[in-house]
Amino acid sequence: MRIPGKKMSELDVSIEVSCCKNCQEIIEEFWKKLKKEISSMLPESFFLEVSIVGDEEIKSLNKHYRGKDYVTDVLSFEDGDTLPDGRVFLGSIVIACERAKKQAEEIGNSFEEELRFLFLHGVLHLLGFDHETDNGEMLRMQKDLKKKLNPFFTLSED
């Protein structure tokens, strides 16, 4: 039930693993800046959820929903339904904490930067972008947003 005068949250972050002590703060701080950059792409009133999970959980989701039996770093489930309170449910983003930490080490980034990147990637998918079919549009948008959102990202090729 909507309480008059109370602003409804547009972001719900759930942490389901212990490897991510400050993930909620990282995502929420980054979201404030990202939202400003993509405001023209967002509905007036919306909601999205983010879950930080373990490798086994994301592997299970990847197999169930995509038919791929391996650990991936991020999954996005676009929705678009209107909630009873009138907000548009953009969808869910699921990030694998351990995989994100491994990737950060492999490419020489901090875990925090990798987490922000995976969240950005997931948000773009929720907004309808698809790097597998859009002839580079999503990757260009990602690169542009990373530049605009400095100092959240080190500026490299990707």
Side-chain angles (χ1 to χ4, degrees), residues 64-120:
H64 181 78
Y65 290 101
R66 298 179 66 226
K68 300 184 180 202
D69 191 18
Y70 57 82
V71 174
T72 189
D73 51 6
V74 62
L75 292 171
S76 300
F77 300 96
E78 188 178 351
D79 193 292
D81 288 345
T82 300
L83 300 171
D85 65 8
R87 295 178 297 163
V88 174
F89 179 49
L90 295 179
S92 303
I93 300 168
V94 183
I95 299 172
C97 187
E98 292 100 346
R99 183 69 194 129
K101 284 186 176 184
K102 288 176 194 165
Q103 283 180 184
E105 288 175 17
E106 290 168 3
I107 61 177
N109 281 344
S110 69
F111 168 67
E112 292 81 2
E113 183 171 349
E114 187 66 10
L115 184 64
R116 288 188 292 262
F117 173 76
L118 294 173
F119 176 66
L120 166 62

